[in-house]
Amino acid sequence: MATFEEQLDSLLERAESIVPPNKLKTAAEKQPADKWMNDVEIFYNNYLKDHALGQRINTILFHRSTGAFEELVSCLESIRGDDAFVNEKNGVSTVNIPKYRAKDVPEYDVFISHASKDKADLVEELYQSLNKLGVAIFYDKESLEWGYNWKDRILNGTKKAEFAIIVISENFFDREWTERELSEFLNRQNRNGQKLILPILHNITVSQLQEKYPSVANLQAIDSSKYNCDQIALLFARQLIKRLKSD
């Protein structure tokens, strides 16, 4: 089933190809707009009653006066820009951390450990999906600036991230720094006794993981072929929220 955000985007995309009813003459010409407004009413009843614009949308839908189409588009565009509401409807909530505990919060919510060859077909898109949710990410492309000692910077990142998403593929195998990162995170997880590593299997099987990294094979992993990056980002956000609520 499409997420709230996907349904909202679909309504807005459809609206772009529809001529407003007040610019048309016959009832037949107005049918696409009428159908669109009917779908907006369903969307409103399912999701928007508790939004600040909910009552206004309800009034527009009830009267359907001249200009109703444009008014509804304007309302939906405003809701699309309401990140807190969109995240809530997508299943992501906000946790406020007391100021006195701010120093205890890690610098990064997640460290993305991956092979460079996997950037183009997965990791870059995953970074963008996580970034849209406001997640603090250690991602080498964004976190390693000109002049940094990159080795020290990466090792520091492995120590200051709440979680590590490990994208494990054949490209990951036997690479000095991917294996160094994995070792750092395994040591932290074993030392602290708290969940840290979130594995993603990318174009490999569980048996390949078992053979190569038996210490990781016992951890519940997700398969990149079964989830898109936005879905993975939402799954991660829920893990992060659970951790913050339990602290």
Side-chain angles (χ1 to χ4, degrees):
M1 180 179 177
T3 65
F4 168 84
E5 188 174 6
E6 290 168 341
Q7 293 177 60
L8 178 55
D9 286 344
S10 176
L11 285 170
L12 288 171
E13 288 171 8
R14 285 171 54 196
E16 292 177 0
S17 63
I18 296 173
V19 179
N22 60 359
K23 296 181 180 180
L24 300 172
K25 296 180 179 180
T26 69
E29 289 177 321
K30 296 178 181 179
Q31 284 181 357
D34 289 340
K35 172 65 167 56
W36 182 85
M37 285 192 279
N38 289 340
D39 290 343
V40 171
E41 186 164 6
I42 293 171
F43 187 71
Y44 160 79
N45 285 322
N46 286 337
Y47 297 109
L48 303 180
K49 289 183 177 180
D50 57 342
H51 192 271
L53 294 175
Q55 185 57 52
R56 181 181 172 191
I57 292 172
N58 185 46
T59 301
I60 296 168
L61 289 168
F62 179 78
H63 293 290
R64 298 209 183 189
S65 57
T66 300
F69 179 86
E70 291 94 332
E71 288 184 70
L72 287 172
V73 170
S74 177
C75 287
L76 293 181
E77 287 176 340
S78 294
I79 291 169
R80 184 64 185 84
D82 187 346
D83 291 340
F85 186 80
V86 171
N87 286 342
E88 178 187 347
K89 293 301 180 183
N90 275 339
V92 180
S93 59
T94 302
V95 176
N96 293 319
I97 300 169
K99 290 183 179 179
Y100 72 85
R101 292 197 50 216
K103 64 182 180 180
D104 299 326
V105 178
E107 184 175 347
Y108 306 103
D109 297 321
V110 65
F111 184 113
I112 305 178
S113 180
H114 64 287
S116 295
K117 289 183 178 179
D118 293 324
K119 278 189 189 323
D121 64 337
L122 176 65
V123 179
E124 182 66 25
E125 184 181 352
L126 177 58
Y127 167 75
Q128 296 298 339
S129 293
L130 289 164
N131 195 47
K132 283 190 299 185
L133 297 182
V135 174
I137 312 161
F138 186 100
Y139 176 46
D140 57 4
K141 183 177 175 181
E142 301 295 329
S143 302
L144 301 179
E145 297 179 10
W146 192 7
Y148 277 152
N149 181 318
W150 65 269
K151 291 183 180 181
D152 289 347
R153 182 73 172 168
I154 288 174
L155 290 176
N156 185 61
T158 65
K159 295 178 174 65
K160 295 190 175 181
E162 184 74 54
F163 289 99
I165 291 179
I166 313 289
V167 180
I168 305 176
S169 68
E170 289 187 348
N171 296 320
F172 190 95
F173 296 162
D174 300 321
R175 299 293 191 275
E176 178 184 359
W177 273 92
T178 55
E179 301 224 338
R180 176 73 179 274
E181 290 164 10
L182 179 58
S183 176
E184 292 288 330
F185 287 122
L186 283 170
N187 288 338
R188 264 190 65 193
Q189 181 163 284
N190 292 336
R191 184 170 62 249
N192 298 337
Q194 187 177 45
K195 181 167 66 174
L196 169 66
I197 297 172
L198 303 172
I200 297 176
L201 304 188
H202 185 51
N203 299 328
I204 64 168
T205 64
V206 174
S207 60
Q208 285 177 288
L209 177 66
Q210 177 70 51
E211 180 180 348
K212 193 66 184 177
Y213 304 122
S215 57
V216 181
N218 291 330
L219 304 178
Q220 183 66 40
I222 62 175
D223 190 324
S224 64
S225 67
K226 297 179 180 178
Y227 297 86
N228 64 41
C229 287
D230 285 344
Q231 291 171 329
I232 294 173
L234 287 173
L235 289 173
F236 171 75
R238 289 171 186 149
Q239 291 293 317
L240 182 61
I241 289 166
K242 287 179 182 177
R243 174 66 54 82
L244 292 174
K245 285 182 175 179
S246 67
D247 288 346

